[in-house]
Amino acid sequence: MALYCAISNEVPEIPVVSPASGAVFEKRVIEKYIIENGVDPINGKDLRVEDLIEIKTPPIVKPKPPSATSIPATLKSMQDEWDALMLHAFTQRQQLQTARQELSHALYQHDAACRVIARLTKEVTAAREALATLKPQAGIVAPQPTHQAEAGAAGGGAAPVGMSGEVVARLQERATALTQERKRRGRTVPEGLLAPDQLRAFLTLASHPGLHSASVPGILALDINPSDHSKLLTGGNDRNATVFNKDTEQVVAILKGHSKKVTRVIYHPDEDTVITASPDHTIRVWNVPTSQTTVILRSHEGPVTGLSLHPTGDYVLSTSTDQHWAFSDIRTGTLLTKVSDFSGVSLTTAQFHPDGLIFGTGTENSQVKIWDLKEQSNVANFPGHVGPVTSISFSENGYYLATAAEDACVKLWDLRKLKNFKTIQLEEGYAIKELCFDQSGTYLAIAGTDVRVYLCRQWQELKVFNDHTASATGVRFGKNAQYIASTSMDRTLKLYGIE
């Protein structure tokens, strides 16, 4: 029977057995280990040299060593070195096993910690949103259903009553006054308008993530109060519209009533009134101080896709996937006229010309159409885009129209010559969500993959803002381009300006 040392894996000259583990060892090797460590090398239990039990075995006949290496001192040195090597290797194997166990335990703890951190981060985000919403807010009144809103809904759902001679006369009178005012101004640059070099120096001044719910992230629409540029209006994926004061950094009103997301918003230029549109087929007119709906317009049988306020401030233009555009009275909720596009495709956006007698619409099949409001007829078409038209914007001078579609380019049209005179080609895959001229027609802003500002006439790129972490959905200029605001699917409203 051959016995092998549990440490050196060799046949022992003097085999001994450990009563602690039952393992067999070479006597001289295990004695050295016990003297150094005092424990059994197999199970780590206490062990003394006196406890070792010798095993009687037949003597081992070793081959005669070669005569060339028979010096006793050399052999003893080599034997001692080998014993030390075996002890070291055994200790290293034990340490490796222990290190593996500790590493496994540490990795498990790290994974558990990461899960806890992720949960706490989510709770902190929800708490911040609740805190921003529950701040002391000037003028917030909880919205209550009113009979006035229901009456407006009934009126808006009626058949078109037609545009009376009185309405047409008001439209013409307002257009004449605006045209004369624009001619008096000529090409004079408004006093206080920021110069291009100053706009190039714009930085991000503020970012507000708490205006809309974090559970359904995304701000889809933006507008600024033309008479009080400190107030901004946003529409969100959470079915709410929010009025926010950028100077006090407080929410002024939260407008709840739509059953689906709010995709279009307008701040009335002369009153504390806002207008919102939604895929729930409705347009709502709100009183900001009371946060109440005053009129509901049900002018369409499909999601509302475009919204534009007439310069008189009394009428609103809307488009829908039902292939119609509608012209409604926001005071009474009356649908004045509703006209089919006759092309058999959905309308995607709408915008009034600054004079209010003509307006533009975009279609699902890449067409930009110009309509005469009084005649209710299509007077011009601008083809050239690829994909659904996403945004159109008239310049304040009344001559230029900027359009965008899902083809990563902005086309500029001359309304006098009815032709495309400039195309701004952006990077492939750039998704344009909105276009906006400033109030003087000096600058053009693009919201999409990022936010860009161009100098009109030269059509030179002045500034690119990459602060949003998701696609930008809205952009507006403050008074005299003193600041720029943008919204995004990342749930933030960002403000840019000079520090």
Side-chain angles (χ1 to χ4, degrees):
M1 180 181 67
L3 300 176
Y4 293 91
C5 176
I7 295 177
S8 65
N9 292 323
E10 290 187 338
V11 177
E13 293 180 0
I14 305 175
V16 294
V17 64
S18 168
S21 63
V24 177
F25 301 95
E26 171 65 61
K27 183 176 181 180
R28 70 176 189 280
V29 176
I30 188 62
E31 285 179 349
K32 292 180 181 178
Y33 186 89
I34 293 173
I35 292 171
E36 291 178 4
N37 300 282
V39 296
D40 189 292
I42 301 302
N43 57 17
K45 293 183 178 180
D46 291 340
L47 184 65
R48 297 179 301 168
V49 175
E50 293 80 11
D51 297 332
L52 298 175
I53 302 172
E54 288 191 11
I55 303 174
K56 293 183 179 180
T57 58
I60 299 173
V61 179
K62 291 186 177 181
K64 185 178 179 181
S67 57
T69 57
S70 61
I71 302 175
T74 304
L75 290 176
K76 184 67 170 64
S77 175
M78 294 179 64
Q79 188 65 60
D80 291 344
E81 185 177 346
W82 176 257
D83 294 343
L85 179 62
M86 290 299 102
L87 288 173
H88 180 72
F90 182 78
T91 304
Q92 290 293 94
R93 288 198 297 270
Q94 285 187 320
Q95 291 177 349
L96 175 62
Q97 182 63 25
T98 302
R100 284 176 173 170
Q101 291 177 348
E102 291 177 351
L103 177 60
S104 175
H105 184 64
L107 289 174
Y108 176 80
Q109 288 182 322
H110 178 267
D111 181 66
C114 288
R115 293 176 184 273
V116 172
I117 291 171
R119 178 174 57 81
L120 293 176
T121 302
K122 185 176 180 180
E123 292 176 357
V124 167
T125 301
R128 283 177 177 169
E129 176 198 344
L131 178 63
T133 304
L134 297 176
K135 275 184 179 180
Q137 299 166 354
I140 288 189
V141 179
Q144 300 292 334
T146 64
H147 295 293
Q148 186 178 6
E150 294 302 321
V161 300
M163 293 172 59
S164 65
E166 180 184 353
V167 172
V168 173
R170 287 195 61 194
L171 300 180
Q172 184 62 58
E173 179 183 355
R174 183 60 175 163
T176 301
L178 290 172
T179 301
Q180 291 175 350
E181 181 181 348
R182 189 168 61 246
K183 286 181 179 179
R184 283 197 302 270
R185 288 198 307 266
R187 294 190 176 184
T188 306
V189 176
E191 185 178 353
L193 180 67
L194 232 60
D197 288 341
Q198 293 176 295
L199 197 145
R200 285 191 181 95
F202 270 22
L203 302 172
T204 303
L205 301 181
S207 180
H208 302 284
L211 303 185
H212 290 270
S213 172
S215 59
V216 189
I219 302 178
L220 306 176
L222 170 67
D223 199 17
I224 295 178
N225 186 341
S227 58
D228 181 359
H229 284 250
S230 65
K231 291 183 179 179
L232 297 95
L233 171 65
T234 60
N237 245 335
D238 60 357
R239 302 178 293 183
N240 297 335
T242 301
V243 180
F244 178 73
N245 189 309
K246 74 174 184 68
D247 293 342
T248 63
E249 297 190 346
Q250 288 188 337
V251 175
V252 177
I254 298 176
L255 311 177
K256 300 182 178 181
H258 283 292
S259 60
K260 293 185 179 180
K261 59 188 178 182
V262 179
T263 54
R264 303 286 178 178
V265 296
I266 297 175
Y267 216 122
H268 199 283
D270 305 316
E271 306 166 13
D272 211 359
T273 298
V274 302
I275 308 167
T276 60
S278 167
D280 65 7
H281 303 190
T282 67
I283 300 167
R284 287 177 178 260
V285 183
W286 306 80
N287 179 276
V288 174
T290 62
S291 300
Q292 292 182 353
T293 301
T294 58
V295 173
I296 301 178
L297 301 172
R298 289 190 170 92
S299 307
H300 295 284
E301 299 174 0
V304 182
T305 58
L307 196 65
S308 184
L309 184 66
H310 191 270
T312 58
D314 297 326
Y315 310 102
V316 69
L317 168 72
S318 58
T319 55
S320 168
T321 58
D322 65 5
Q323 305 171 16
H324 287 75
W325 61 264
F327 185 66
S328 308
D329 189 325
I330 66 171
R331 310 296 182 186
T332 63
T334 304
L335 174 61
L336 299 180
T337 185
K338 185 175 180 180
V339 178
S340 172
D341 182 72
F342 294 113
S343 61
V345 295
S346 301
L347 301 181
T348 57
T349 187
Q351 181 72 42
F352 267 118
H353 183 273
D355 293 343
L357 289 184
I358 64 173
F359 62 89
T361 61
T363 68
E364 192 75 22
N365 66 347
S366 314
Q367 292 285 321
V368 177
K369 299 190 174 186
I370 306 299
W371 299 79
D372 184 304
L373 179 58
K374 293 192 298 182
E375 300 297 329
Q376 303 173 36
S377 61
N378 179 207
V379 294
N381 292 325
F382 295 145
H385 279 295
V386 177
V389 177
T390 56
S391 180
I392 63 176
S393 181
F394 286 95
S395 173
E396 191 277 338
N397 64 14
Y399 300 147
Y400 300 143
L401 171 65
T403 62
E406 295 180 1
D407 53 6
C409 73
V410 178
K411 290 186 178 292
L412 285 305
W413 308 86
D414 190 322
L415 298 177
R416 297 164 296 184
K417 302 178 181 178
L418 299 180
K419 71 174 185 178
N420 172 221
F421 68 91
K422 176 70 177 180
T423 297
I424 302 174
Q425 185 64 54
L426 304 176
E427 298 86 357
E428 184 177 356
Y430 191 102
I432 303 173
K433 300 297 183 182
E434 188 171 38
L435 303 172
C436 178
F437 285 99
D438 77 304
Q439 295 82 3
S440 69
T442 305
Y443 303 111
L444 171 67
I446 301 173
T449 305
D450 50 32
V451 178
R452 303 187 180 194
V453 181
Y454 287 80
L455 178 63
C456 297
R457 292 189 176 88
Q458 291 85 4
W459 308 111
Q460 173 189 0
E461 182 183 287
L462 295 179
K463 187 70 176 179
V464 178
F465 302 100
N466 293 303
D467 291 29
H468 285 297
T469 57
S471 177
T473 55
V475 62
R476 288 290 186 274
F477 289 92
K479 183 178 181 181
N480 291 327
Q482 295 292 327
Y483 76 92
I484 296 173
S486 67
T487 53
S488 167
M489 292 303 295
D490 65 9
R491 205 169 58 90
T492 63
L493 164 69
K494 292 189 182 293
L495 302 174
Y496 313 97
I498 299 175
E499 287 184 327

